[in-house]
Amino acid sequence: MIRLVVVDDHPIVRGGLRDTFADIEDIVVVGEAGDGAEGIERAKLLAADVVLMDLRMPGMDGVAATAALRKSAPSARVLILTTFDSESDVLPAIEAGAIGYLLKDALPDELMRAVRAAARGESVLAPSVTQHLMGQVRRPRAGTLTDREKEVLQLVANGSSNREAATALFIGEASIKTHLQHIYDKLGVRDRASAVAEGYRRRLLT
Amino acid sequence: MIRLVVVDDHPIVRGGLRDTFADIEDIVVVGEAGDGAEGIERAKLLAADVVLMDLRMPGMDGVAATAALRKSAPSARVLILTTFDSESDVLPAIEAGAIGYLLKDALPDELMRAVRAAARGESVLAPSVTQHLMGQVRRPRAGTLTDREKEVLQLVANGSSNREAATALFIGEASIKTHLQHIYDKLGVRDRASAVAEGYRRRLLT
DNA sequence: CTGCGGATCCACCGAACGGTGGAGGCGTAA
DNA sequence: TTACGCCTCCACCGTTCGGTGGATCCGCAG
């Protein structure tokens, strides 16, 4: 039996979901909430297996609630159910720890399969969401170069060879190479020249 | 007899120079000026052979005055005499058409030899200035990358290897390398990474 | 027509770089 | 304590790059 908590600021939506799961044998809606903070409370109190979470809500939004829930109740899987699939919605939600991301135009059947999958710890994503992820999820997020990495990139931009950068930072050449590899991974490039270009585009360099 | 005009905004300096040349047989200070515009006027009016020009002056500065003088009175040689030898001072002055560049810590003897050299159309540079020039004067000036060179640099910034850039532009890899060498020369760098950095700093790249 | 700048191409070479797959230390958050 | 992220370092290897010194062709301006 999967214990489900529904978090959405629209009563209509909550009601619709309650109905949808009403006569499903292995899923029971044990609680509801109208915003993120309340949702966290209910999920913990009621030992939810899966939390159906809307993103755009007054007060604490879905992303913040998801992140908080991942910390305070890791066993509760958060399944995003929302209207929007823009990059600016999807990425933060995934990063916050959502296990799945569905759109509200999903069929009831898809929704139930997704809930069961989430309960098992599997990910279900709406097709359009998958697109966004393919290219993006790999890069640990723009602008997340560490301070050290930024230093290295700046030196490279200023014309330092690996050896010179190593001398400047009082570390070994091998470390510079490692930092650069990480920089390449994070920026999605393959060489120092385009890393520098990306650095400027993302305003990491001066 | 070398007809000399002194352009400097400090009366003290002008006086010192007048004294310095007072009992020199082949040099006569025929006029003085306190800023660039006045200097141009005097130099033309008095048919100066050599103009001793300060760089930092109120009103029209030495660089602008030098450039203007080169056009309106090409026979007057402009010899820069200033306190500063930073790159940002030296290069514009040379490009503006100055025939020599001395620092104010020069000995009177050096100064006189420089004036005579200037009058003959020869260049005399302070040693530290020479350093700046060696590597820099060749570059025809920032932002003067040809269209082709900008294309190459943009490709490099976007992660292209030389081979890939060659394919993209339907030319040989050797040409890409040549273009890059020219780019390095013009931007004053030694590798593609810092060339890209300079490209962004000079707003040549997007 | 001659010079000059721009664009194209060539060969050769050593040095630097990028890719891979590690490993250990260290502080912090869980 | 256990993870995890970050920083540090290592070896090996093939590829690419940068440096040098040429060369030809074209168009434009003097």
Side-chain angles (χ1 to χ4, degrees):
Chain A
M1 182 67 77
I2 298 171
R3 301 172 63 80
L4 186 66
V5 166
V6 174
V7 183
D8 195 302
D9 59 323
H10 298 102
I12 305 287
V13 174
R14 294 204 299 272
L17 289 170
R18 207 185 312 121
D19 285 352
T20 301
F21 292 108
D23 39 31
I24 305 301
E25 295 174 355
D26 58 339
I27 302 176
V28 55
V29 178
V30 295
E32 300 176 11
D35 78 336
E38 197 185 351
I40 294 171
E41 183 193 327
R42 295 293 165 84
K44 285 157 68 173
L45 190 66
L46 303 170
D49 297 307
V50 177
V51 177
L52 266 189
M53 180 83 74
D54 192 16
L55 281 186
R56 306 198 183 178
M57 294 182 292
M60 177 183 270
D61 73 359
V63 171
T66 300
L69 207 48
R70 290 310 302 158
K71 293 188 177 178
S72 59
S75 64
R77 322 283 190 175
V78 177
L79 182 55
I80 304 296
L81 181 65
T82 186
T83 309
F84 313 98
D85 69 340
S86 77
E87 202 166 276
S88 58
D89 290 310
V90 170
L91 297 181
I94 300 294
E95 285 165 23
I99 196 173
Y101 195 114
L102 290 186
L103 299 180
K104 284 187 178 165
D105 61 7
L107 300 175
D109 191 57
E110 294 175 311
L111 183 52
M112 281 179 275
R113 280 191 283 112
V115 169
R116 293 192 188 102
R120 289 194 303 271
E122 299 167 10
S123 285
V124 174
L125 299 178
S128 65
V129 172
T130 307
Q131 303 303 320
H132 287 306
L133 279 196
M134 297 303 280
Q136 312 266 185
V137 90
R138 313 217 65 152
R139 42 173 160 169
R141 207 72 287 270
T144 55
L145 293 190
T146 67
D147 289 346
R148 201 53 159 174
E149 287 162 354
K150 282 185 219 169
E151 282 185 293
V152 170
L153 186 54
Q154 184 71 60
L155 284 167
V156 167
N158 291 341
S160 293
S161 67
N162 291 344
R163 186 183 310 275
E164 289 164 344
T167 301
L169 296 178
F170 305 107
I171 61 177
E173 202 178 334
S175 301
I176 297 295
K177 295 184 69 173
T178 303
H179 284 310
L180 281 174
Q181 289 301 327
H182 294 162
I183 291 168
Y184 299 158
D185 289 344
K186 289 182 178 181
L187 297 184
V189 301
R190 278 187 309 286
D191 62 77
R192 56 182 46 217
S194 44
V196 167
E198 269 304 303
Y200 275 95
R201 293 182 188 129
R202 301 188 189 191
R203 308 187 184 287
L204 302 171
L205 293 175
T206 57
Chain B
M1 183 67 77
I2 299 170
R3 301 172 60 80
L4 187 65
V5 166
V6 174
V7 184
D8 195 304
D9 57 325
H10 298 104
I12 306 285
V13 175
R14 294 203 299 271
L17 290 171
R18 208 185 311 121
D19 286 352
T20 300
F21 293 107
D23 39 31
I24 305 302
E25 296 172 356
D26 59 338
I27 302 176
V28 55
V29 177
V30 295
E32 302 175 10
D35 78 333
E38 197 184 351
I40 294 172
E41 183 193 327
R42 297 291 166 84
K44 285 157 68 172
L45 191 64
L46 301 169
D49 298 307
V50 176
V51 178
L52 267 189
M53 180 83 74
D54 191 18
L55 281 186
R56 305 198 183 178
M57 294 181 292
M60 178 184 267
D61 72 0
V63 171
T66 299
L69 208 45
R70 291 309 303 160
K71 292 190 177 178
S72 59
S75 64
R77 321 283 191 175
V78 177
L79 180 56
I80 303 297
L81 180 65
T82 186
T83 309
F84 312 98
D85 68 340
S86 76
E87 200 165 281
S88 58
D89 290 310
V90 171
L91 297 181
I94 300 294
E95 286 163 24
I99 196 175
Y101 195 114
L102 289 187
L103 299 181
K104 285 186 177 166
D105 60 8
L107 300 176
D109 193 56
E110 295 176 310
L111 183 52
M112 281 177 276
R113 280 192 282 112
V115 169
R116 295 192 187 100
R120 289 194 302 272
E122 300 168 10
S123 284
V124 174
L125 299 178
S128 64
V129 172
T130 308
Q131 303 303 319
H132 288 305
L133 278 195
M134 298 302 280
Q136 313 268 184
V137 88
R138 316 218 63 155
R139 45 171 160 168
R141 208 60 296 258
T144 55
L145 293 190
T146 67
D147 289 346
R148 202 50 159 174
E149 287 163 353
K150 283 186 218 169
E151 282 185 296
V152 170
L153 186 55
Q154 184 71 61
L155 284 166
V156 167
N158 292 341
S160 293
S161 66
N162 291 344
R163 187 185 309 276
E164 289 164 345
T167 302
L169 296 178
F170 306 106
I171 61 178
E173 201 178 334
S175 302
I176 297 295
K177 295 185 68 173
T178 302
H179 285 309
L180 280 175
Q181 289 299 331
H182 293 163
I183 291 169
Y184 299 158
D185 290 343
K186 290 182 179 180
L187 298 183
V189 300
R190 278 186 306 285
D191 62 76
R192 54 182 49 215
S194 43
V196 168
E198 270 304 304
Y200 275 95
R201 292 183 189 127
R202 302 186 188 192
R203 307 187 185 286
L204 302 170
L205 294 175
T206 58

